[in-house]
Amino acid sequence: MVCGGFTCSKNALCALNVVYMLVGLLLIGVAAWGKGFGIVSSIHIIGGVIAVGFFLLLIAIVGLIGAVHHHQVMLFFYMVILFIVFLFQFGVSCSCLAMNQDQQETLMNSTWRIMSSETKADLEDKLDCCGLFNNTASRPQFDVDVDLCKASCVKSHCMTCGQKMLQHASEALRILGGVGLFFSFTEILGVWLAMRYRNQKDPRANPSAFL
């Protein structure tokens, strides 16, 4: 059987969905490990990462079952949902790669304002810092955060949490954007494979059956 045939398309789609399943399990495992060890346990993004991993795992299972059984309906929904995921992930990845330092500070400030006191305390204790940014615009909030800060460093000599996070934010955004962009193109590959495989005829099926 040549590589463009039915069997090759089926095996390639199955292998791709197995990779998606492993990635989903990895996301769930890493997020659960971080939460279990109390690494900023109250930040809601941990639950978000677990949800993304579970969703990717579910989509991969649907694609794998559809590929094994050549199920037209499951393959159709798999294609549609995976394409939507591609659009969302491609947009987020490009945003991560294009974000400059001023935009990072704006994002941090907006996130810091909606965080609970418990979450801020966890973050300050983990990073050994106090407050976010000590500038004119956020000075009132910064003074309140410093008064409530329980980090182990001496408050008068503590770095701000914003400074510490910005030191690694650009590198982290580049990595996240690059990895997300790479996987977004594998999702397009999955959509193309599913579309091609769905329109191919199983050579072992009854020739008179409707596919």
Side-chain angles (χ1 to χ4, degrees), residues 49-61:
V49 172
I50 293 175
V52 169
F54 179 78
F55 181 75
L56 184 59
L57 181 63
L58 184 63
I59 293 303
I61 291 173

Side-chain angles (χ1 to χ4, degrees), residues 140-171:
Q141 180 65 50
F142 178 80
D143 291 339
V144 172
D145 292 333
V146 169
D147 290 337
L148 298 175
C149 182
K150 297 180 181 178
S152 58
C153 62
V154 180
K155 292 185 180 181
S156 59
H157 298 94
C158 278
M159 287 182 65
T160 64
C161 295
Q163 288 175 305
K164 287 202 168 184
M165 287 189 286
L166 281 175
Q167 287 177 353
H168 305 287
S170 297
E171 181 180 358

Side-chain angles (χ1 to χ4, degrees), residues 22-205:
L22 294 176
V23 172
L25 289 172
L26 181 65
L27 287 174
I28 295 171
V30 170
W33 174 82
K35 190 169 185 178
F37 276 82
I39 302 175
V40 200
S41 58
S42 55
I43 288 186
H44 297 299
I45 196 170
I46 296 294
V49 172
I50 293 175
V52 169
F54 179 78
F55 181 75
L56 184 59
L57 181 63
L58 184 63
I59 293 303
I61 291 173
V62 171
L64 188 60
I65 295 174
V68 170
H69 297 287
H70 199 224
H71 196 288
Q72 297 292 305
V73 177
M74 294 183 77
L75 287 171
F76 174 77
F77 281 108
Y78 171 77
M79 287 162 44
V80 172
I81 295 174
L82 197 61
F83 184 71
I84 294 172
V85 171
F86 159 75
L87 293 177
F88 176 76
Q89 188 169 328
F90 183 79
V92 171
S93 300
C94 290
S95 298
C96 288
L97 293 173
M99 189 175 291
N100 57 37
Q101 183 168 323
D102 290 338
Q103 292 170 327
Q104 292 173 31
E105 290 185 13
T106 301
L107 181 61
M108 287 181 187
N109 278 317
S110 61
T111 304
W112 188 266
R113 283 194 294 269
I114 62 175
M115 289 169 67
S116 65
S117 299
E118 181 185 354
T119 301
K120 291 178 182 178
D122 283 347
L123 188 59
E124 289 171 337
D125 184 61
K126 179 64 181 177
L127 297 179
D128 197 24
C129 58
C130 287
L132 187 63
F133 292 114
N134 185 13
N135 51 36
T136 305
S138 58
R139 179 62 61 81
Q141 180 65 50
F142 178 80
D143 291 339
V144 172
D145 292 333
V146 169
D147 290 337
L148 298 175
C149 182
K150 297 180 181 178
S152 58
C153 62
V154 180
K155 292 185 180 181
S156 59
H157 298 94
C158 278
M159 287 182 65
T160 64
C161 295
Q163 288 175 305
K164 287 202 168 184
M165 287 189 286
L166 281 175
Q167 287 177 353
H168 305 287
S170 297
E171 181 180 358
L173 285 172
R174 282 196 301 270
I175 293 173
L176 287 173
V179 171
L181 200 61
F182 171 77
F183 274 104
S184 69
F185 286 114
T186 68
E187 287 158 8
I188 279 292
L189 176 63
V191 172
W192 177 78
L193 275 173
M195 184 182 301
R196 180 180 181 182
Y197 175 63
R198 185 171 178 266
N199 293 324
Q200 288 178 323
K201 188 174 182 179
D202 188 347
R204 297 169 298 178

